Amino acid sequence: SGNGSGNGQGATVEGTHDNNFAVIVSTSMYWHNYRHASNALVFYHSVRRLGIPDENIILMLADDHACNERNKEAGTIFLDNSHKHCNYDENISVDYRGTEVTAETFIRVMTGRVKHSVSESRRLRTNSKSNIFLYMTGTMYHQDPPLFYSRLNCYFLLLLLFQGHGGEDFLKFRDTDVISGTELADTFLQMHHKGRYNRLMFVLDTCHAESMFFRITAPNIVALGSSQAHEDSVGMSVSKKLGVVTVDEFTAASHHFLRALIPSSTKTLHDLFLFARRSRMHSHPALFSSSHNFTAANALLVDFLSSSPKETIVSRFSDNENSEMLQQV
């Protein structure tokens, strides 16, 4: 939901950036894709903690994993297999859920071509002074994938869950629909022509993520993908109780990095890239920039993920924990 009234403070071109918005999308259905909802909620909580209000956030969850009948911890979505960090609570505002989450809906929201019946709270009301943070995560499987190797008589489970869109240059929505790299690039170009953003930061956690960047020509877009064009992405943190993977490697690394950020941070997208690359991921993160003067090296994370350095931010961690995390980052 968005109303164009954020307080973002730009590190881009002086006088061109005065509000921040976030669009966070999990495109996956089915219980075994639990991790994608968890991925999306990691970034949702990150931008909320850093001060972006819910009215400036569009959250799309293609399936209701929290209330799935197979969820033995009903009403929850956990980040890891310890079940100590719940990403789903009563404070979450989901703008589009279930069958509403389609490629067409996503494109309409981004370009502002929503139907008249769509409420103001579900519109992305950006303008030429808006910085937009876009996070997407998705799946490729048509049915339950063959993913486990286990020793039946032991508490040992070896799992590498390969996830994503399954082929280069497209991302699946709810197993019934896709958005191609060309369609995504055209969406960004429409947004540019309509003056719907100042600068846009795109983070994508899926297989072959880099392949979705190749056709982008709209200016002032910087992107980080969890995998190179020829690679699968990998899940981690298996919950034996739930029988699913709770998060993907890239988003888990991002969570560790982002939870240490404060609104005055000078960390850039390139710093996040380096941190993820050092995190022993099985895939290799990839960077993209559509403009020579706007790259990962000068794209401050807080210029997209934070409302304003002057805002009072409520942290989920103690001062000591934040200090320790900042030293690690």
Side-chain angles (χ1 to χ4, degrees), residues 256 259-261 315-329:
H256 184 73
R259 66 180 185 170
L261 286 186
S315 175
R316 293 187 171 193
F317 304 94
S318 68
D319 291 340
N320 289 337
E321 287 175 320
N322 275 324
S323 177
E324 291 173 2
M325 287 186 288
L326 281 169
Q327 292 175 4
Q328 293 171 353
V329 170

Side-chain angles (χ1 to χ4, degrees), residues 114-261:
V114 296
K115 297 178 180 179
H116 293 298
S117 58
V118 175
S119 65
E120 292 293 310
S121 65
R122 304 173 83 202
R123 297 171 184 253
L124 183 66
R125 301 190 62 82
T126 57
N127 54 48
S128 61
K129 295 185 178 182
S130 305
N131 275 5
I132 300 175
F133 173 72
L134 170 62
Y135 173 83
M136 301 182 77
T137 183
T139 187
M140 70 179 183
Y141 293 106
H142 292 280
Q143 56 188 352
D144 282 352
L147 46 128
F148 295 123
Y149 164 79
S150 61
R151 295 180 181 176
L152 298 179
N153 296 321
C154 303
Y155 291 105
F156 173 76
L157 177 64
L158 176 64
L159 180 148
L160 290 180
L161 175 57
F162 297 99
Q163 60 88 24
H165 46 56
E168 295 185 14
D169 200 37
F170 70 90
L171 177 66
K172 182 173 292 186
F173 277 75
R174 284 187 56 82
D175 203 48
T176 59
D177 191 15
V178 299
I179 185 171
S180 68
T182 299
E183 290 171 317
L184 182 64
D186 182 65
T187 298
F188 292 150
L189 199 57
Q190 287 186 55
M191 294 174 69
H192 167 63
H193 290 322
K194 296 177 71 172
R196 287 185 58 78
Y197 72 91
N198 170 52
R199 289 187 168 180
L200 190 150
M201 179 179 287
F202 179 28
V203 175
L204 177 61
D205 190 351
T206 189
C207 293
H208 316 289
E210 184 186 28
S211 70
M212 293 294 287
F213 306 153
F214 293 155
R215 300 181 188 275
I216 297 174
T217 59
N220 294 327
I221 295 177
V222 66
L224 171 61
S226 62
S227 55
Q228 295 183 4
H230 62 283
E231 291 182 320
D232 290 317
S233 289
V234 181
M236 62 176 291
S237 188
V238 183
S239 168
K240 289 182 289 185
K241 182 175 183 179
L242 300 177
V244 293
V245 174
T246 60
V247 72
D248 284 310
E249 286 185 336
F250 172 81
T251 294
S254 298
H255 173 255
H256 184 73
F257 183 93
L258 293 175
R259 66 180 185 170
L261 286 186

Side-chain angles (χ1 to χ4, degrees), residues 19 22 34 43 57 59 80 83-84 94 111 117 132 145 152 154 159 190 233 252 256 261 275 281 327-328:
N19 59 84
Y34 178 105
F43 279 87
I57 302 171
L59 176 61
D80 55 42
H83 292 199
K84 293 181 179 179
V94 182
T111 59
S117 58
I132 300 175
L152 298 179
C154 303
L159 180 148
Q190 287 186 55
S233 289
H256 184 73
L261 286 186
F275 185 86
M281 291 171 50
Q327 292 175 4
Q328 293 171 353

Side-chain angles (χ1 to χ4, degrees), residues 19-39:
N19 59 84
N20 287 353
F21 289 78
V23 179
I24 299 170
V25 186
S26 168
T27 67
S28 299
M29 60 188 296
Y30 300 131
W31 175 243
H32 64 257
N33 291 318
Y34 178 105
R35 68 198 183 281
H36 293 143
S38 180
N39 288 349

Side-chain angles (χ1 to χ4, degrees), residues 293-309:
N293 64 342
F294 177 51
T295 67
N298 62 19
L300 291 183
L301 289 168
V302 295
D303 276 351
F304 296 84
L305 278 69
S306 175
S307 179
S308 168

